[in-house]
Amino acid sequence: MMLLFPIHHHPVLLLCIILLIGILAAAHDKEPYVMRISCGAREDITTKPSDTLWYRDFGYSGGKFTNAAVPSFIEPLLKTLRYFPQSDGLENCYTISMIPRGYYQVRVFFALIADPGFGNEPIFDISVKGTQIYSLKPGWSNVDDQSFVEAFVFVTDSSLAACFHSTGHGDPSVLSIEILQVDDNAYSFASLWGKWTVLRTAKRLTCGSAKSAFDEEYGSSQWGGNRFWLGTSIFPDSGQPISTNHSITQTAISPNFYPEKLYQSAIVGDDEQPDLSFQMEVNPNRNYSIWFHFSEIDPNITGGGQRVFDILINGDIVFENVDIFRRMGGNYAALVLNKTVEVTGRTLIITLRTIHGSHALINAIEIFELILAESRTSVVEVQALENLKTSLGLPHRLGWNGDPCVPQQHPWSGVDCHYDRKSGHWVIDGLGLDNQGLKGFLPNDISKLRHLQSINLSNNNLYGAIPSSIGTIAGLQTLDLSYNQLNASIPETLGQLMSLQILNLNGNHLSGRVPANLGGRPLHRASFNFTGNAGLCGIPGLRACGPHLSLAAKIGIAFGALFGLLLVLLCILIWWKRRANILRAQKIAASREAPYAKSRFTRDVQMTKHHSVQDQTRTSPESASNLLS
């Protein structure tokens, strides 16, 4: 794009461009995300020689802390571990949240419990983000590069779970967990690579040097992670070591950021065995990505054609006529070649066959097993199961940790899954938690497990009501809640379950009328059991119910009774108010008439006396004598 006007005439535009450049530079120079956990540690720890910081083990569920016996010299010098007794469940996880989206190197170190009473080394499986990446092999504690597992995974949802699955051979014990962000395009190869691929490190060798080392000791870029290179000075029965102090070009380059020191030693074929050959045991019928590292560090090679060789994998030529000097234009420059192959057997054989000139040479080899990342369980259904776990009070021994359905080798106990091609996620189609001593209630959001075909929670101690939302699980065929402590009435919504073939609600404390749309269903080859509920009525085998009232009638009666009660209260209130008014009026009248009555009484007495005197005056003596006679 060409600017049609001078930038210096537009200071605002110039400032924006400078800010943009600064932001891009800052984003490029930012440090990668790093999380290291010292399992079982109660405080942060720094280990030598690289002053590596390990965070304390806090906020993760399950397991117990104890002291560690480190079985390998390559392990970090940590003194504690976390182990997971089988009584805590068969699946236990470290879940780390708030992780920036990106590509990560995940490494888990194992250790032995520092107590002879715990028996021999444990054998267990490891998964990362729901994908099983490794199964420990017997004798791992005696093999240096088997005391840890390492994989490269994409994080797209800001969280990462590393889980440990018991196989019944001892208690899984974990020394440390590392989560190291690497370049988003690290170890990119062909069309198989991507967010659906997990790369598990099967072997990583630095050739010509007997000393094993990590990238940190090599002083490499942080964006390369922190790879462990197992030192080897000779391939089995072939080769001899050479080394140099000369600087090497084309090394710490994005996206893999290999350390320079990796290319300063090599193995070269000898006269007795000019070809170099290396073999290892692998998992059959898997794809493997193999990375070859070369640098012409022999000063006697001064031109092209002086060292030419082929690279074969299990007898097939994958790179022909490799000439390091000619490809890189001289000595002391790093050349990296990558090939992905399918291995059908249990052995991977790498051969460098000399074609012309000096014997074949190699500086380092990396071998990764390609593992198809598992699709995760639907987030909505995982949340519903987590709520169910809480409301049912599931014991730790059931081990509901991590992803319910994956890895497929270790689903949650009592959970049946199937892959839903339409959504691209695993979903839950069965719950079988009968006879588990559960003491809780059924949450309303159990209906979010909308793919359920069977629910069996019989012979527990569940209480409360049956959620009406269960009636929205359209495909439900079996519902067994028998022999619990459930109460209240049977939801009418259960009658909407047209696929329901088995309904066992017997042995509870349910009451009320059995919904009519359930009462007649057994005639259609369904098996329903309502016995053992003293309060239920309405179908043969249960007590008879009173007159059946519809819901509308029940609501009408309730409103009528409420209206009548309000009317009676209103009448009482009016009567009480009227009586109070009358009494108040009488009291007022009495208080007003009292002085008038007293004066009238006095006047009547005086008038009586006055009339008596007048009557005596008017009476004559003759009349009095006549009256006497």
Side-chain angles (χ1 to χ4, degrees), residues 585-603:
Q586 289 176 348
K587 186 182 292 186
I588 292 173
S591 64
R592 289 178 179 176
E593 292 178 358
Y596 170 74
K598 181 177 180 181
S599 61
R600 181 178 177 183
F601 175 76
T602 304
R603 187 169 61 250

Side-chain angles (χ1 to χ4, degrees), residues 93-269:
C93 302
Y94 277 77
T95 301
I96 295 91
S97 303
M98 305 298 292
I99 296 178
R101 296 187 178 188
Y103 200 31
Y104 287 85
Q105 175 190 16
V106 180
R107 182 165 54 220
V108 181
F109 279 97
F110 317 115
L112 301 176
I113 296 174
D115 186 339
F118 278 89
N120 298 323
E121 61 182 14
I123 306 298
F124 54 96
D125 295 340
I126 303 96
S127 68
V128 175
K129 288 185 66 66
T131 300
Q132 182 163 318
I133 61 171
Y134 192 61
S135 297
L136 283 173
K137 301 174 182 178
W140 61 264
S141 60
N142 297 317
V143 181
D144 290 335
D145 62 344
Q146 288 187 16
S147 62
F148 71 92
V149 62
E150 177 186 281
F152 291 84
V153 300
F154 280 96
V155 172
T156 59
D157 55 2
S158 302
S159 68
L160 187 148
C163 299
F164 312 100
H165 311 275
S166 175
T167 60
H169 300 85
D171 300 329
S173 53
V174 185
L175 181 73
S176 65
I177 298 176
E178 295 178 272
I179 302 172
L180 312 174
Q181 188 176 11
V182 297
D183 191 285
D184 284 350
N185 293 306
Y187 293 106
S188 175
F189 62 90
S191 59
L192 293 175
W193 182 86
K195 295 181 179 179
W196 291 105
T197 305
V198 174
L199 289 181
R200 180 188 69 82
T201 305
K203 184 72 70 174
R204 188 180 281 120
L205 296 174
T206 175
C207 303
S209 171
K211 181 183 178 182
S212 301
F214 287 92
D215 275 356
E216 281 189 347
E217 298 167 49
Y218 280 169
S220 63
S221 168
Q222 288 181 296
W223 283 102
N226 184 23
R227 294 156 291 200
F228 171 72
W229 300 90
L230 182 63
T232 178
S233 59
I234 187 171
F235 278 177
D237 302 322
S238 65
Q240 59 182 357
I242 63 171
S243 62
T244 183
N245 291 322
H246 199 287
S247 62
I248 309 296
T249 62
Q250 306 294 312
T251 57
I253 299 175
S254 174
N256 292 348
F257 300 96
Y258 292 113
E260 178 184 13
K261 192 171 183 179
L262 185 68
Y263 300 91
Q264 291 178 329
S265 64
I267 291 178
V268 182

Side-chain angles (χ1 to χ4, degrees), residues 143-418:
V143 181
D144 290 335
D145 62 344
Q146 288 187 16
S147 62
F148 71 92
V149 62
E150 177 186 281
F152 291 84
V153 300
F154 280 96
V155 172
T156 59
D157 55 2
S158 302
S159 68
L160 187 148
C163 299
F164 312 100
H165 311 275
S166 175
T167 60
H169 300 85
D171 300 329
S173 53
V174 185
L175 181 73
S176 65
I177 298 176
E178 295 178 272
I179 302 172
L180 312 174
Q181 188 176 11
V182 297
D183 191 285
D184 284 350
N185 293 306
Y187 293 106
S188 175
F189 62 90
S191 59
L192 293 175
W193 182 86
K195 295 181 179 179
W196 291 105
T197 305
V198 174
L199 289 181
R200 180 188 69 82
T201 305
K203 184 72 70 174
R204 188 180 281 120
L205 296 174
T206 175
C207 303
S209 171
K211 181 183 178 182
S212 301
F214 287 92
D215 275 356
E216 281 189 347
E217 298 167 49
Y218 280 169
S220 63
S221 168
Q222 288 181 296
W223 283 102
N226 184 23
R227 294 156 291 200
F228 171 72
W229 300 90
L230 182 63
T232 178
S233 59
I234 187 171
F235 278 177
D237 302 322
S238 65
Q240 59 182 357
I242 63 171
S243 62
T244 183
N245 291 322
H246 199 287
S247 62
I248 309 296
T249 62
Q250 306 294 312
T251 57
I253 299 175
S254 174
N256 292 348
F257 300 96
Y258 292 113
E260 178 184 13
K261 192 171 183 179
L262 185 68
Y263 300 91
Q264 291 178 329
S265 64
I267 291 178
V268 182
D270 53 32
D271 293 336
E272 293 184 5
Q273 185 59 261
D275 296 341
L276 297 176
S277 182
F278 169 79
Q279 71 178 45
M280 62 176 289
E281 184 179 345
V282 295
N283 294 320
N285 302 313
R286 301 288 182 90
N287 289 310
Y288 287 84
S289 181
I290 305 171
W291 297 71
F292 302 94
H293 299 271
F294 305 100
S295 179
E296 186 54 79
I297 60 174
D298 184 350
N300 296 318
I301 302 299
T302 57
Q306 296 181 18
R307 190 193 307 275
V308 180
F309 55 91
D310 291 342
I311 303 175
L312 295 81
I313 298 177
N314 285 352
D316 297 326
I317 297 176
V318 294
F319 292 102
E320 191 173 7
N321 295 324
V322 176
D323 187 332
I324 305 170
F325 189 100
R326 181 166 291 166
R327 287 202 181 204
M328 302 309 298
N331 292 350
Y332 310 113
L335 169 65
V336 181
L337 300 178
N338 167 248
K339 187 67 176 180
T340 301
V341 297
E342 181 180 2
V343 180
T344 57
R346 293 186 173 274
T347 303
L348 173 67
I349 302 174
I350 296 173
T351 304
L352 278 66
R353 186 172 61 194
T354 301
I355 300 300
H356 180 73
S358 296
H359 304 311
L361 170 150
I362 189 164
N363 300 77
I365 301 175
E366 295 176 283
I367 302 170
F368 298 98
E369 179 185 348
L370 275 62
I371 303 173
L372 185 64
E374 292 273 12
S375 297
R376 308 297 298 278
T377 305
S378 164
V379 174
V380 173
E381 299 205 3
V382 172
Q383 292 173 346
L385 281 181
E386 292 286 358
N387 291 338
L388 188 67
K389 173 184 177 180
T390 301
S391 63
L392 294 182
L394 255 65
H396 289 302
R397 58 181 169 78
L398 290 180
W400 277 26
N401 297 297
D403 191 290
C405 300
V406 293
Q408 296 180 52
Q409 301 92 327
H410 300 283
W412 284 3
S413 178
V415 175
D416 296 326
C417 306
H418 78 265

